[in-house]
Amino acid sequence: MIKGETGISSATPGEYPLVVTAKERKTSATYQFNTQAVCIPLVSSSGHGKKSLNYVHYQEGKFALATILAAVIPKKHDEIYAAFLNSNYGIRNAISYTTGVGSSQGNLNVNRVRPYVIPLPPLAEQKAIVEKVDYLIKIIDQLEAQIKHRKQLAEELMPTVLTETFE
C-alpha cells in the first residue's frame, strides 16, 4: 500500500491519468506507478462531516496518484488479480469496515486497512468474477441509457398527449 505523491492543484496536465477522489480522473505530465492497482481515497470526497469514501478506482498502466489516495498493489500477480480487489468482496469491503469509526469525517488510516484479510478464490476464478461483473455492469449501463432515452421521449410527448386529450 503506497500513498500518492501528486498534488492535485499543482499537477501539470499531461498524457497520464491522475487518479483523484472524484469520479472522473484528471491528467498529469508525470506518473508514479506502472502497474495494476486499486486506488483508495484516504479522505472523504463528499466534504467535511461526511463518512463516505465514494470512489475507489481500479487503474492499470502508467498513472499518477493524488496525495490524498493510496494505491493497493498486489505483490504476487500470479495469485492476486488487482481488478478483483476492486470488487465489493475486496478493498471496498475493507474500507466500509474501517472508515469513520469514532469520527464525523470519513478518513481512512492506511495502517487500519493493512491488516484487513481479504479472502481470495483461485486466480482464474478472480478473473472470471471480474469478467462477469464487468459484463453485467455494461448491461446495466445500456438499460439505464434506454430508460433515460425513453423517459426523455415520454416527456417530449406529454404536451402533445395533453393537448389532444383536452381538445
Side-chain angles (χ1 to χ4, degrees):
M1 191 170 214
I2 303 169
K3 194 172 181 309
E5 296 177 352
T6 305
I8 297 171
S9 60
S10 62
T12 303
E15 64 180 295
Y16 304 105
L18 169 57
V19 182
V20 296
T21 58
K23 183 176 183 178
E24 301 298 325
R25 290 159 177 76
K26 295 187 179 287
T27 65
S28 175
T30 61
Y31 65 91
Q32 178 182 356
F33 300 99
N34 185 9
T35 190
Q36 298 175 348
V38 179
C39 305
I40 57 174
L42 301 175
V43 297
S44 175
S45 58
S46 301
H48 183 69
K50 306 278 172 86
K51 287 188 176 184
S52 61
L53 296 170
N54 293 332
Y55 299 107
V56 175
H57 296 286
Y58 171 72
Q59 186 67 48
E60 58 185 45
K62 295 178 180 178
F63 66 95
L65 187 62
T67 57
I68 55 176
L69 288 98
V72 177
I73 303 168
K75 289 182 180 180
K76 298 179 179 181
H77 291 284
D78 59 332
E79 294 178 18
I80 303 171
Y81 187 42
F84 179 79
L85 293 178
N86 190 40
S87 72
N88 284 334
Y89 303 107
I91 297 296
R92 291 174 193 267
N93 192 34
I95 288 172
S96 66
Y97 179 75
T98 58
T99 56
V101 177
S103 166
S104 64
Q105 177 73 20
N107 293 330
L108 182 64
N109 183 321
V110 173
N111 292 326
R112 287 175 59 200
V113 174
R114 274 195 178 114
Y116 189 83
V117 176
I118 300 171
L120 295 171
L123 184 64
E125 191 174 333
Q126 292 175 50
K127 290 182 178 183
I129 290 169
V130 169
E131 185 178 309
K132 183 68 172 184
V133 168
D134 287 348
Y135 171 75
L136 294 171
I137 287 172
K138 285 179 186 176
I139 291 173
I140 290 168
D141 289 345
Q142 290 171 352
L143 292 171
E144 286 177 343
Q146 288 178 11
I147 290 168
K148 183 179 178 181
H149 176 69
R150 289 179 182 182
K151 183 178 178 183
Q152 182 181 352
L153 289 175
E155 288 173 359
E156 290 171 3
L157 286 173
M158 188 57 74
T160 305
V161 170
L162 289 174
T163 301
E164 290 182 11
T165 301
F166 292 107
E167 286 183 347

